[in-house]
């Protein structure tokens, strides 16, 4: 009874983008399964799986085939997108599941083909005999021919929208929707928010390099010092000679810029080279001339 109901299901063609999305989901699943499997052997000797990697991958893909194509007539990516394979060789337009021969040949062409390609590459990669070189060249020629046929099949798929892979075309299996698809409702509120955020982010990326952060920090520091009453015009040069106005340490090779504050030579020189419009962080005076300090300060005053 279930088979009769399944055969009476109508066939709904699948969009090209949905078929390509299903293929990408299948690839992502295979990579995820392989990464999870290899993570189980991180504590073992390195290169333990390298010798048997083609066989291990073939076994994993065999397990996936058993619980996807063989039992559900759909890959994992197709099941997520509500897609199934249909036997396109049947004469009726109603849905027909894949035959056992098609499922077995699908296994041979996909899993067996990839295993054969990887294993042959390992077998003939280090062989230098003339006979092995001829076999290797024949295998490479066959692989290139298959890839060319796959490219032609993809171009035909883009035009007609059926048989996304060469295996599907050879076996006569076509992707169809399991259930009729409802009209897709597009919400533009989310898209508007995304566009607004991306536009704002691009504006910030363009604006930030134009802002002189160092000068802005010095301006803020100068304003804070003025508000706190730290800037006192009655202070003499002797009081300021005990510390650099930039690093706060005893000034090394003390220099002035025309105001009553003192700077280390390396501090003021590096800041002035970075910003030609550098101003004093204490009083906001611009650099008039970089001159060494002529006032003599005794080192004993450091401990006073």
């Amino acid at each position: 009874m279930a088979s009769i109901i399944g055969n009476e299901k109508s066939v709904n063609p699948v969009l090209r983008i949905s078929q390509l999305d299903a293929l990408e989901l299948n690839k992502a699943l295979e990579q995820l399964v392989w990464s999870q499997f290899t993570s189980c052997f991180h504590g073992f000797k390195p290169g333990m799986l390298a010798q048997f990697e083609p066989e291990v991958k073939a076994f994993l893909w065999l397990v996936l085939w058993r619980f996807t194509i063989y039992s559900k007539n759909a890959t994992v990516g197709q099941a997520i997108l509500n897609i199934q394979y249909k036997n396109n060789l049947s004469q009726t337009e109603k849905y027909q599941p894949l035959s056992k021969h098609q499922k077995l040949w699908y296994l041979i062409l996909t899993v067996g083909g990839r295993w054969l390609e990887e294993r042959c590459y390992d077998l003939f990669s280090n062989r230098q005999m003339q006979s092995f070189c001829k076999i290797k060249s024949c295998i490479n020629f066959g692989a290139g021919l298959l890839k060319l046929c796959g490219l032609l099949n993809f171009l035909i798929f883009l035009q007609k929208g059926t048989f996304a892979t060469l295996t599907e075309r050879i076996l006569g299996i076509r992707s169809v929707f399991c259930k009729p698809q409802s009209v897709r409702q597009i919400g533009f509120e989310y898209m508007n928010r995304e566009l607004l955020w991306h536009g704002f982010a691009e504006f910030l990326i363009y604006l930030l390099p134009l802002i002189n952060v160092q000068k802005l920090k010095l301006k803020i520091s100068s304003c804070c010092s003025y508000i706190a009453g730290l800037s006192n015009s009655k202070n003499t040069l002797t009081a300021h000679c005990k510390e650099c106005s930039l690093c706060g340490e005893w000034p090394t090779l003390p220099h002035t810029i025309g105001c009553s504050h003192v700077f280390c030579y390396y501090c003021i020189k590096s800041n002035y080279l970075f910003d030609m419009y550098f101003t004093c962080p204490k009083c906001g005076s611009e650099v008039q001339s970089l001159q060494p300090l002529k006032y003599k300060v005794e080192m004993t005053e450091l401990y006073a």
Side-chain angles (χ1 to χ4, degrees):
M1 186 64 180
S3 61
I4 295 175
I5 295 174
N7 292 339
E8 290 178 353
K9 290 192 298 183
S10 59
V11 175
N12 301 287
V14 182
L15 300 175
R16 296 174 177 83
I17 187 62
S18 298
Q19 299 183 55
L20 296 178
D21 287 342
L23 294 176
E24 292 299 323
L25 288 173
N26 294 334
K27 294 178 182 178
L29 174 69
E30 292 177 357
Q31 294 177 359
L32 179 61
V33 170
W34 179 247
S35 63
Q36 292 291 330
F37 181 80
T38 54
S39 64
C40 299
F41 295 88
H42 281 172
F44 292 86
K45 182 179 179 180
M48 180 178 179
L49 293 176
Q51 185 177 359
F52 306 102
E53 182 174 340
E55 286 75 19
V56 174
K57 284 185 176 180
F59 175 75
L60 293 176
W61 307 157
L62 174 62
V63 174
L64 288 177
W65 169 85
R66 172 60 182 83
F67 293 100
T68 55
I69 296 294
Y70 187 80
S71 59
K72 298 181 180 179
N73 293 311
T75 62
V76 176
Q78 289 177 331
I80 294 174
L81 300 176
N82 192 30
I83 301 173
Q84 276 186 335
Y85 274 135
K86 171 188 176 294
N87 186 358
N88 202 54
L89 300 178
S90 61
Q91 300 298 328
T92 178
E93 290 296 328
K94 298 295 183 179
Y95 175 78
Q96 292 290 335
L98 303 183
S99 64
K100 290 186 177 180
H101 293 288
Q102 287 176 319
K103 295 177 181 179
L104 290 175
W105 277 109
Y106 185 91
L107 173 66
I108 294 172
L109 293 177
T110 55
V111 179
R114 284 188 291 180
W115 171 82
L116 183 63
E117 181 181 1
E118 294 180 4
R119 180 48 67 192
C120 289
Y121 179 79
D122 293 338
L123 289 176
F124 302 113
S125 58
N126 298 324
R127 304 284 183 171
Q128 301 297 332
M129 296 178 61
Q130 185 176 2
S131 59
F132 286 109
C133 292
K134 290 182 179 180
I135 296 175
K136 183 180 178 181
S137 61
C138 293
I139 293 175
N140 292 335
F141 176 78
L145 186 61
L146 286 176
K147 292 180 180 179
L148 179 61
C149 294
L151 175 61
L152 296 177
N153 176 78
F154 184 73
L155 296 177
I156 298 173
F157 162 75
L158 293 179
Q159 181 181 7
K160 297 185 177 181
T162 56
F163 306 115
T165 62
L166 186 61
T167 303
E168 296 177 5
R169 186 174 297 275
I170 294 174
L171 299 179
I173 56 179
R174 184 160 61 95
S175 299
V176 295
F177 280 120
C178 303
K179 300 177 182 178
Q181 299 298 295
S182 58
V183 179
R184 302 176 68 181
Q185 300 292 335
I186 302 177
F188 291 99
E189 295 182 0
Y190 173 76
M191 298 175 64
N192 291 336
R193 289 197 299 269
E194 286 295 315
L195 290 174
L196 181 62
W197 170 250
H198 284 294
F200 181 69
E202 291 180 358
F203 173 74
L204 289 180
I205 292 174
Y206 172 77
L207 183 64
L208 287 178
L210 303 179
I211 300 176
N212 193 332
V213 181
Q214 184 69 17
K215 187 175 181 179
L216 185 62
K217 288 171 61 177
L218 293 176
K219 283 286 186 182
I220 295 174
S221 176
S222 177
C223 293
C224 294
S225 299
Y226 179 79
I227 294 174
L230 297 179
S231 177
N232 190 357
S233 58
K234 295 182 179 180
N235 290 339
T236 60
L237 185 60
T238 306
H240 291 290
C241 288
K242 296 181 180 180
E243 68 176 20
C244 172
S245 298
L246 288 174
C247 64
E249 302 294 335
W250 182 272
T252 304
L253 301 176
H255 280 64
T256 61
I257 59 174
C259 63
S260 59
H261 300 95
V262 179
F263 306 87
C264 298
Y265 173 76
Y266 300 105
C267 294
I268 186 61
K269 190 66 175 179
S270 60
N271 281 272
Y272 182 67
L273 290 176
F274 179 78
D275 182 14
M276 298 299 294
Y277 300 97
F278 174 81
T279 57
C280 177
K282 299 291 186 180
C283 60
S285 301
E286 295 183 356
V287 179
Q288 298 177 0
S289 60
L290 188 61
Q291 298 292 335
L293 183 64
K294 298 180 180 179
Y295 193 88
K296 184 177 180 181
V297 180
E298 297 293 338
M299 291 297 295
T300 56
E301 294 183 4
L302 178 62
Y303 305 98

